[in-house]
Amino acid sequence: MAQRNVSIPTLVMVVTDGRSADDPKGPGQILQAQPNTWVFAAATGDPEKVDTRELMDITGNINHIVMHRGRDLATDITRRLLRQAQDKCRTTTTTTTTTTTTTTTDPITGCELDLVLVLDFSTTTDPVYNSYKDLSKRLVSQLKIGPHYTQVAAVTFATVGRTRVRFNLKKYQTQEEVLRGIDNLKSRGGTTAIGAGIEKALTQLDESEGARPGIATKVMVVFTDGWSNKGPDPEKRARDAVSSGFEMYTVAYTAHTPGAVTLNNETLSAISGDVHHTFTDVTFQALIDKIKQRNLPCMP
């Protein structure tokens, strides 16, 4: 750092599980105080065992911490953080004998979130699918929606042939549009292919769909009773989603509803990965608060 050109933006990246034998706070503060410098931390291993306090000491900024499952994905995390820093810093300067023009890329707010809602519209959910829509709208209503903040896509699934992207990440740019889009979702019933729904949701990794790789946090929320009888293995497709960088969550509706089936908790847990990613209508606000963290720095 002492030998660098301070006019050039510098990225310092620490890849760690956040469990240091010494105290990183002092050195972290020294780095944070350097001009034109960003300090990031990419957490390896099980997110539940990472010491986030130490990561905060290192970076000084909660938005510069990326939690990810799997030590073997640390390299991918590093690449994505580097691209994010490059996009944040990139400028194009043209100089002539009389003028200097500087053009910057669109600003990165640090609040970017790509949210994919996956809703079970099979026959078994006929009594509760409107509740899935209500929960989805409740989530969207508490987020900051826009091209520099949260973008939302919706996927519905039933029979394999009835799995559709109802709207992609780039279709709507305001909260009102997203809420209207959710309101317009209709169910036609059918058998249940949860794996096909997750598989279709993975199309939202594509930039042509509005994805912001290396910039936005990726979250997938699957609303279902957990019963699947057609299509790809939902647990395997969920692992594919996590490997692609998605945070996976399941939401089940538990309130007494005439005609509703009992929940398949085994499948729900297999899709989400653990109890910390499995929610119901009763605990849904905790999930909202968790997802909302990405937007908080940009909310009044």
Side-chain angles (χ1 to χ4, degrees):
M1 293 292 287
Q3 297 174 357
R4 71 182 180 124
N5 182 341
V6 295
S7 67
I8 299 175
T10 300
L11 169 68
V12 178
M13 186 148 35
V14 183
V15 183
T16 177
D17 61 7
R19 290 178 290 177
S20 177
D22 57 9
D23 187 358
K25 187 171 185 177
Q29 289 176 336
I30 293 172
L31 282 175
Q32 296 160 30
Q34 297 296 312
N36 221 4
T37 299
W38 286 272
V39 184
F40 289 87
T44 62
D46 185 347
E48 303 301 330
K49 297 179 180 178
V50 169
D51 188 338
T52 54
R53 180 189 59 78
E54 284 206 354
L55 298 182
M56 270 295 295
D57 288 342
I58 293 168
T59 66
N61 186 334
I62 189 66
N63 294 309
H64 286 191
I65 298 173
V66 171
M67 310 287 280
H68 212 303
R69 299 182 186 200
R71 197 174 299 262
D72 56 333
L73 291 172
T75 301
D76 177 60
I77 297 169
T78 303
R79 276 199 206 94
R80 290 189 289 109
L81 284 173
L82 181 57
R83 284 198 298 269
Q84 177 179 339
Q86 288 172 330
D87 287 339
K88 183 181 290 186
C89 302
R90 186 180 295 123
T91 60
T92 303
T93 304
T94 305
T95 305
T96 66
T97 54
T98 57
T99 61
T100 298
T101 304
T102 300
T103 305
T104 61
T105 59
D106 289 338
I108 293 175
T109 63
C111 301
E112 289 83 0
L113 170 66
D114 286 347
L115 173 64
V116 185
L117 305 173
V118 185
L119 297 92
D120 186 345
F121 276 15
S122 62
T123 299
T124 61
T125 65
D126 278 351
V128 298
Y129 86 88
N130 278 317
S131 298
Y132 294 161
K133 291 168 57 176
D134 291 341
L135 291 170
S136 297
K137 290 191 294 181
R138 182 175 154 194
L139 169 59
V140 169
S141 296
Q142 296 187 48
L143 299 175
K144 188 174 180 66
I145 306 297
H148 299 300
Y149 310 105
T150 298
Q151 296 183 152
V152 183
V155 173
T156 61
F157 66 88
T159 306
V160 174
R162 291 184 184 173
T163 300
R164 299 282 187 275
V165 176
R166 297 301 177 180
F167 53 85
N168 64 15
L169 289 168
K170 69 180 180 181
K171 185 172 179 64
Y172 299 132
Q173 298 192 359
T174 68
Q175 191 175 74
E176 293 74 17
E177 289 175 322
V178 176
L179 294 173
R180 194 180 312 120
I182 295 172
D183 266 332
N184 291 336
L185 298 176
K186 305 296 181 186
S187 174
R188 296 182 179 178
T191 55
T192 313
I194 300 176
I198 297 172
E199 186 175 72
K200 183 65 72 173
L202 291 176
T203 63
Q204 298 309 295
L205 290 167
D206 197 318
E207 290 185 64
S208 65
E209 296 291 309
R212 297 167 289 181
I215 298 175
T217 298
K218 297 187 285 290
V219 173
M220 188 184 303
V221 182
V222 183
F223 296 85
T224 182
D225 55 23
W227 293 105
S228 185
N229 49 32
K230 293 288 182 181
D233 177 10
E235 183 177 0
K236 184 178 185 305
R237 289 296 178 268
R239 289 199 302 266
D240 292 341
V242 171
S243 296
S244 299
F246 273 103
E247 297 175 18
M248 286 291 297
Y249 300 97
T250 57
V251 178
Y253 193 74
T254 60
H256 176 70
T257 306
V261 300
T262 57
L263 301 180
N264 185 336
N265 290 308
E266 183 178 349
T267 299
L268 291 169
S269 296
I271 294 169
S272 62
D274 57 54
V275 294
H276 301 291
H277 291 76
T278 306
F279 292 85
T280 69
D281 52 303
V282 177
T283 59
F284 192 61
Q285 187 59 47
L287 175 59
I288 293 176
D289 293 341
K290 193 170 188 176
I291 294 174
K292 188 178 177 180
Q293 289 297 314
R294 180 65 170 173
N295 281 173
L296 281 181
C298 298
M299 300 178 81

